[in-house]
Amino acid sequence: MNAFLLAALALVDAAFAGFRAYTGRDGRIRKSKRALLAARRGLAVSAPALLLSAALAVTLLVAAADRGARYAELDAAAQRMLLCYASYAVIVALSLGCYLWGPFRAGTLAVVVGLGPLTLVRPLVVLAGAVAAAWGSLPAASVAAVAAVGVLLVEPFVHRRWYAEPV
């Protein structure tokens, strides 16, 4: 269950990473279709990294002498990672909700105080989650490292592949 929640968070993060790679590079007024395309590009880029980390976890699970113990070890690591990311995701969701549905001033404050700084600390949160998952477990460390690198590379890859020049 923890792995599926992490995968869901990674996919949502990938969609936002694609959106962030596009944002600010298009001067057109109506660009919601292009923003959705950018989010889909983020999802498409993140899928191989997500599948790679899942394949590594399954390989480690199948190759283990005691599969039950290995599963418990990987699940505990996923839970530690999820605790780190879930709190960040809740704060981002609250800021985003305030921006989208709050009064104009509250929405502006949500962007300036919430979404902006949260975007800046995102790589640190990803690394903190990977370290929390890797704490005391070498197999979990390898899965967490692959997953964290995959999550952190989505936005730069989408930016360089599709949005290096202004649209």
Side-chain angles (χ1 to χ4, degrees):
M1 183 65 177
N2 292 325
F4 291 113
L5 290 173
L6 280 174
L9 273 178
L11 291 174
V12 170
D13 181 73
F16 280 115
F19 175 75
R20 281 192 308 272
Y22 165 73
T23 301
R25 288 169 176 76
D26 190 346
R28 290 176 249 199
I29 293 174
R30 295 189 178 128
K31 48 192 167 190
S32 60
K33 288 183 181 178
R34 288 177 174 81
L36 288 175
L37 176 65
R40 284 195 304 268
R41 286 176 173 166
L43 285 171
V45 168
S46 73
L50 190 61
L51 289 175
L52 182 64
S53 62
L56 179 60
V58 168
T59 302
L60 290 171
L61 188 61
V62 170
D66 185 2
R67 291 184 184 147
R70 178 64 52 87
Y71 179 81
E73 182 181 1
L74 291 175
D75 191 50
Q79 188 172 10
R80 290 190 299 270
M81 193 178 226
L82 189 60
L83 285 175
C84 189
Y85 296 158
S87 57
Y88 177 80
V90 166
I91 295 170
V92 168
L94 289 173
S95 295
L96 194 59
C98 186
Y99 169 70
L100 291 174
W101 297 296
F104 178 75
R105 290 183 183 202
T108 303
L109 183 65
V111 169
V112 171
V113 175
L115 294 175
L118 288 171
T119 301
L120 288 176
V121 299
R122 179 182 161 271
L124 298 175
V125 172
V126 170
L127 292 176
V131 168
W135 197 263
S137 172
L138 190 59
S142 61
V143 176
V146 169
V149 167
V151 164
L152 290 176
L153 288 180
V154 170
E155 186 173 348
F157 183 83
V158 171
H159 172 72
R160 289 200 169 102
R161 170 68 177 86
W162 286 287
Y163 305 110
E165 300 288 326
V167 178

